[in-house]
Structures are given as structure tokens and as C-alpha cells.
Amino acid sequence: MKFNTILFDLDGTLTDPGIGITNSVMYALDKYGITVSDRRQLFCFIGPPLWESFERFYGFSETDAKRAVEYYREYYRVTGIFENTVYDGIDALLASLENSSKTLLVATSKPEIFAEQILEHYDLAKYFSFIGGSELDGARVNKHEVIRYALEMAGVTDLTTTVMVGDREHDILGAKTMGIASVGVLFGYGSRREFENAGADFIAETVDDLRRILLT
């Protein structure tokens, strides 16, 4: 299958945000008297919409979940946003895809303003025709909504040569809703079982595997 348009998730796909996101969640939970000693317990927050994770994993009400997201951002927008690293090989992969005349887009549930800052900071923004994310008020947070938005803003109409690359089931399910192919990457925070259950078209263990899938 030849792909001309490639959408990438951000967290867990282009960059490893583990420290920044878990520190921000710890900061928010502390406001409610909740202490987490092992940050690995909070890796489940990487990928899904934040408010959904506070409700699902800590039983927060809708009101408390929204307030927790505000606390999260107090830490994240100043410090956590740059407690982040680019996965080895991603810069070279994006350069290769660009040189092969692929249209590259970002579709993330992270607020668009934060996604833009991160990609500019790590000098990755130059590869993308459009960077799409959610709004700070929680609008356009579901993955299929972000995918649709990014495709519309980029003027992409041929879905048969379009693929979504991500590290969680939300990326795969969002792609299915939009009728496009999907790749789950195992170097992020998802699992093979998660991708298989969600119906991923391809699973890449490494960045090299991802290169082979996207450049075949």
C-alpha cells in the first residue's frame, strides 16, 4: 500500500513525553491530596484526553476532572512541556518522508498551541504541512475529530492513500472512524494486544520498521 499523506500522533510517537506528563499529573493529583510514588502508574495518561483519564483512573467527577486539567497545565505549560525527548531516528525518518514528497501532518489530542511549541522547540515543525490538535477548552479532543480537522485544513481528499501513525488505541480507532489506514508503534506507550484489539492495519516495533511501512 502506497501512502501519500501521513498523520502522526505526537506524544509517544514522535516524542517521549513520559517525564513531563507524569510530573504534571502528579502536580494535579497533589492538589487533591493524592500522592503517586511510581510514575509508571501514570503512563496511562499518555495518549488519551486528560479529562477522560482523571475520570477513568481516579474516579473524578466531570467538574473535578476539568479542574484537574487546569492544575495539570499550571505545571505543564511552564516546565512539563519541555521534559520531553525526540525518539531516536524520528528526525531522519521525517526527512526521508519529506524527500519522498509525502504530505506530513500532526493529529494530536494535545492542545494545538502546546503541540506547535514542542515541535518548534525540537525543530520538527518544519516537516509538517499542518499541526492539528485540540482546543484548550476541550473542543476537538477526540482523535477522529482531530484527524478530520487536520485533513480538512491540509486540503487532503484522497483517503485511500492516507494513514494515521500512533501509539495508543485511540489513534487506531480514530483512523477507523475516518476510514483511513493505521499503524501502531510499539516504541511508545501502547501494546501489541491493544493494537490488535483495535484493528491496526500495521504494527511497527521500531522506527526502522515504521520507515519500511511508510516508504514501501
Side-chain angles (χ1 to χ4, degrees):
M1 186 178 292
K2 180 181 173 74
F3 298 119
N4 295 325
T5 301
I6 304 167
L7 300 107
F8 286 90
D9 178 42
L10 176 53
D11 291 339
T13 303
L14 298 174
T15 67
D16 183 350
I19 299 299
I21 287 180
T22 53
N23 280 347
S24 301
V25 175
M26 287 178 181
Y27 176 88
L29 291 175
D30 186 64
K31 299 290 186 179
Y32 292 87
I34 301 170
T35 300
V36 178
S37 57
D38 184 353
R39 71 175 66 250
R40 290 174 296 181
Q41 296 176 20
L42 303 177
F43 285 168
C44 54
F45 277 79
I46 301 174
L50 285 170
W51 60 267
E52 177 184 304
S53 294
F54 281 113
E55 289 181 356
R56 178 180 178 184
F57 300 116
Y58 283 88
F60 281 18
S61 66
E62 181 178 348
T63 298
D64 281 340
K66 289 181 178 179
R67 187 175 296 114
V69 171
E70 293 175 4
Y71 289 138
Y72 171 100
R73 288 177 180 161
E74 285 181 6
Y75 181 92
Y76 186 81
R77 62 168 36 100
V78 177
T79 305
I81 188 171
F82 299 127
E83 293 178 322
N84 202 345
T85 57
V86 178
Y87 285 115
D88 289 343
I90 285 294
D91 193 296
L93 170 63
L94 295 176
S96 295
L97 294 172
E98 182 183 50
N99 290 337
S100 298
S101 300
K102 308 293 186 182
T103 296
L104 305 182
L105 310 173
V106 170
T108 173
S109 294
K110 182 185 292 297
E112 191 169 300
I113 186 171
F114 293 155
E116 290 172 344
Q117 285 180 270
I118 291 167
L119 292 167
E120 288 286 353
H121 180 79
Y122 291 104
D123 198 31
L124 298 180
K126 62 189 179 187
Y127 296 116
F128 296 99
S129 299
F130 185 74
I131 298 168
S134 64
E135 300 284 1
L136 285 169
D137 64 3
R140 201 173 57 240
V141 72
N142 293 317
K143 187 49 67 92
H144 72 275
E145 296 174 323
V146 182
I147 293 172
R148 180 185 296 116
Y149 165 65
L151 292 174
E152 288 176 351
M153 294 301 292
V156 175
T157 56
D158 184 2
L159 301 186
T160 64
T161 59
T162 298
V163 63
M164 176 73 209
V165 180
D167 75 311
R168 297 304 306 272
E169 65 178 357
H170 301 75
D171 302 299
I172 309 306
L173 296 174
K176 282 193 170 302
T177 298
M178 289 300 300
I180 63 175
S182 61
V183 182
V185 298
L186 291 175
F187 51 82
Y189 288 85
S191 67
R192 182 175 294 276
R193 175 175 292 182
E194 180 177 345
F195 295 141
E196 290 175 346
N197 288 343
D201 295 289
F202 305 91
I203 298 176
E205 291 192 6
T206 66
V207 174
D208 283 341
D209 288 340
L210 182 59
R211 178 192 298 272
R212 285 190 284 272
I213 293 167
L214 299 179
L215 286 173
T216 297

